[in-house]
Amino acid sequence: MTRTFDLLIRRACVVDADGEQGVADVGVRGGVITAVEPELTESATTEIDADGLVLLPGVVDSHVHLTDLAAHGSEGRSPAHERLARAGVTTAVEFFDFRTVLDQWHASAAGLTILGLQGLPAYTDGTPSARIRDDVGSALRDGAIGIKLLGGHFPSDPGSSARAIAEGADAGCYVAFHAGTTANGSNLDGMREALQLADGHPLHLAHTNAYLRGAVTELVEENQLALTLLHQHPEVVSEAHLAPLNLCLGGLDGDEFTDHIVVNCLRMGGYPTTRAGLVRAFADGFAHCLRQDAGQAVPVTGDEGRAVWERDPARASLCFPVNRRLSGFMQSCARRDESGTVRFDGTGEFVVDAISSDGGYWRNLVLDQGLALVQFGALSLPQLAHKTSRAPAALFGLRGKGTIAPGADADLVIVDSGQRTVRLTVAAGTVIFDGEHVVGQGGTVVTTEHGTAALRQRRIPHRVLDLTDGEFLRRGSAV
Ligand SMILES: [Zn+2]
């Protein structure tokens, strides 16, 4: 019987988390990989020559922001889908405001699979638990797979943070936490507190690298302590990113910044934590503001950065070069052996589950910086495929993703590993980025059974995820 393919990728060096499969042809039909063989002689509607290039499973970015944080709540178009497609991402998980992602869907989608969390407001000890339960319920009914505690930015008190995690566990949904409460900042102490507040419930600890900036103790020691904490809490899943700049919101209430991260950053830079302090930080090139340039968010500093911020502080995103390279490296590459000893010699299990971008509309560095780690010798290509695709897919129970083999979803990325560039992105068997242009359209939202009615009403293609298939709930309930 002659097979034909919708898409045939020829002569690629095929790599997934199981290893390097050598140079092979990969045939795709109906959105699924149907053949991986040394040479396929059949014809295809689209043929791609990938000679000299590496074929990886599409990136599953476990922490992104599809909406501009500062402009959330607005309809219109988000360039983030396009930016992700260019970066080789085929599945992304929104970590702030899934409602806005859905509002912007029809104007923005570029062929990716998208799932997301809905950020919760800051609670106080006076907030009734019924209110928190309602917020969790409406997040799920609106299509999110779970909730995000925005602690570091907009902290709740410790007790309410714990109640929110418990309500999420009760609802059986995904729960992520940007560590930090009214008692502890977004640092190692906040991270330790977050693990305690989870009290054995399933928890996704966001961007572990971002808590480790040397604010509590010496930087290497902070990293070691964080890795030990994660080892002691196998019920907690986590991801780390590799971006030097952070992100926070520029809004003020009088002379006080509403986002606690801004205050932290100014303090770290040795500036007064006021409007005047930020102005000085701009002048010194320490503070940056994101300027929108034809769909690209570009960090600008100096007078220019200050001008962008001053135009509309409440809707401005600020960033500071506070993410330490060492923490990105250690959190991404550290493994531990059976005894819990942290190792960097290529043996043992990764401590932090995944490499994410915490990007979306900017800083989509998963492959760029991930391939830099491969060039450096810190990760092998299969390990990179593990941390950027197989492992994050497993967290959410996204079956069929993270593997290049017959039967797997045809979510693929062709990279020039030497140049660290993405040459082609394929999602659900269709080219969504051709190396020059983003040509993907539509896409799929992955939701829970609670979200299907809302998505049907919005006319957004969707499918239902069983979170009990994922590592998040499996690990969280194994303790
Ligand atoms: Zn984030």
Side-chain angles (χ1 to χ4, degrees), residues 63 65 95 148 207 358:
H63 180 162
H65 298 279
F95 257 54
K148 163 102 181 270
H207 51 48
D358 196 5

Side-chain angles (χ1 to χ4, degrees), residues 63-65 69 95-96 148 153 178 206-207 239 241 247 358-359 363:
H63 180 162
V64 306
H65 298 279
L69 267 72
F95 257 54
F96 181 52
K148 163 102 181 270
H153 294 281
H178 177 151
H207 51 48
E239 106 283 331
H241 70 72
L247 187 76
D358 196 5
R363 64 172 190 190

Side-chain angles (χ1 to χ4, degrees), residues 407-445:
D409 292 358
D411 289 355
L412 300 161
V413 56
I414 298 175
V415 298
D416 180 329
S417 59
Q419 297 292 320
R420 311 203 319 258
T421 51
V422 172
R423 301 285 287 269
L424 190 94
T425 310
V426 172
T430 302
V431 174
I432 62 167
F433 171 59
D434 66 10
E436 225 173 303
H437 303 288
V438 174
V439 292
Q441 288 178 335
T444 305
V445 165

Side-chain angles (χ1 to χ4, degrees), residues 306-454:
R306 177 183 166 178
V308 178
W309 170 68
E310 282 180 337
R311 209 171 298 144
D312 192 355
R315 293 176 88 78
S317 294
L318 299 176
C319 34
F320 301 85
V322 291
N323 289 323
R324 307 295 295 266
R325 310 306 286 148
L326 182 74
S327 300
F329 172 78
M330 286 183 74
Q331 297 298 304
S332 298
C333 298
R335 301 163 179 246
R336 63 191 161 213
D337 61 22
E338 305 256 293
S339 72
T341 306
V342 173
R343 316 187 68 105
F344 290 94
D345 63 358
T347 65
E349 301 267 309
F350 284 112
V351 182
V352 173
D353 295 277
I355 294 175
S356 64
S357 69
D358 196 5
Y361 65 99
W362 73 311
R363 64 172 190 190
N364 293 303
L365 299 172
V366 169
L367 286 180
D368 174 77
Q369 291 293 287
L371 287 166
L373 288 175
V374 172
Q375 287 175 333
F376 187 67
L379 293 175
S380 67
L381 275 173
Q383 286 165 356
L384 180 67
H386 171 86
K387 294 217 55 155
T388 62
S389 191
R390 174 79 56 87
L395 290 182
F396 300 92
L398 294 165
R399 287 186 179 180
K401 302 207 182 290
T403 298
I404 302 182
D409 292 358
D411 289 355
L412 300 161
V413 56
I414 298 175
V415 298
D416 180 329
S417 59
Q419 297 292 320
R420 311 203 319 258
T421 51
V422 172
R423 301 285 287 269
L424 190 94
T425 310
V426 172
T430 302
V431 174
I432 62 167
F433 171 59
D434 66 10
E436 225 173 303
H437 303 288
V438 174
V439 292
Q441 288 178 335
T444 305
V445 165
V446 174
T447 186
T448 70
E449 58 190 350
H450 308 289
T452 53

